[in-house]
Amino acid sequence: MNEIDRNRAARAEARTRIEDAAARLFAERGFAGTTIGEIAAEAGLSKPMLYRHFDSKQELHLALLERHRDELAAAPVRELLHGEGEVAERLEAVYDAWFGHVQSHPYTWRMMFRDTTGDPEVQAFHRELQRRQRETDIGLLREVAPGLPEAELEPLGEAIRSSLYGLALWWLERPGTPREVLVATMTRLTRGLLPAGAGRDLEEHPREENDHAPSSPSNRADGRDPT
């Protein structure tokens, strides 16, 4: 590795340490309760070093939100479109992937689901995040229940989104709850929204499987083996 590559790798490693430290502190103490100096100390860096990567605490906070924004819906959508089995099984896979991501990033999701800054730009980001999640849930409903009235799709999508966010926050405060309990809860709620026979076409004409489903993480919110 030449000098340029070593410097690039060192810079990337320092940025990752800063972001990981900031995610933990923002989630534990909130945006207002965390200082740049505390983030630098948690990352094992000086404040001048931190400022080489981020101009302000707000910029760092937004960078963290943007880093994880698109990951939230990616795995569930893949499970829905390319997973195998009946609709109920595929819904379970969708929610298992979603809650699995929350489980793998507990600090980040506390920050993602709660706006602790009061900053208009961050508030706008949260509204956009909610809109994207709602659109994803509307797409899920179009797939599994194509006969639903068009006027009901957006409020139903919001019902699913708010249920997911609420359960995620509830779970983060109760990490001993098995993940399958959350998955079963959301599957039961969603199936209750569907008319009889909904999703039959999806079962009879499944899409081609272009992607391998990701392996399922352990089923506790804290990532530990329940045994």
Side-chain angles (χ1 to χ4, degrees), residues 89-119:
E89 295 172 338
R90 293 167 73 175
L91 281 175
E92 289 178 1
V94 165
Y95 293 131
D96 187 65
W98 197 92
F99 284 112
H101 199 80
V102 172
Q103 177 181 342
S104 299
H105 305 82
Y107 293 112
T108 300
W109 293 119
R110 281 192 181 93
M111 186 180 63
M112 290 288 284
F113 297 147
R114 290 173 174 155
D115 174 24
T116 59
T117 69
D119 182 89

Side-chain angles (χ1 to χ4, degrees), residues 134 138 141-142 145 148-158:
R134 185 167 51 249
I138 290 172
L141 289 169
R142 289 187 191 279
L148 284 174
E150 186 70 23
E152 295 181 14
L153 286 175
E154 184 166 356
L156 286 172
E158 175 61 20

Side-chain angles (χ1 to χ4, degrees), residues 22-36:
R24 289 193 297 272
L25 293 177
F26 286 152
E28 291 171 356
R29 306 177 188 179
F31 180 85
T34 303
T35 68
I36 283 290

Side-chain angles (χ1 to χ4, degrees), residues 198-209:
R200 186 172 298 149
D201 289 342
L202 189 64
E203 296 173 21
E204 294 175 352
H205 305 288
R207 298 170 183 265
E208 293 183 2
E209 186 179 4

Side-chain angles (χ1 to χ4, degrees), residues 53-64:
H53 296 270
F54 300 99
D55 290 336
S56 66
K57 187 171 68 169
Q58 181 197 40
E59 181 183 327
L60 173 53
H61 190 268
L62 285 169
L64 282 169

Side-chain angles (χ1 to χ4, degrees), residues 15 48 60 62 67 70 77 87 94 98 100 105 112 117 130 153 157-158 174 177 180 187 193 216 220 223 225:
R15 185 180 180 92
L60 173 53
L62 285 169
R67 171 181 164 184
D70 296 333
V77 169
V87 168
V94 165
W98 197 92
H105 305 82
M112 290 288 284
T117 69
Q130 292 171 6
L153 286 175
E158 175 61 20
R174 298 165 179 81
T177 304
E180 59 261 29
T187 302
L193 300 175
S216 177
R220 286 173 59 100
D225 189 331

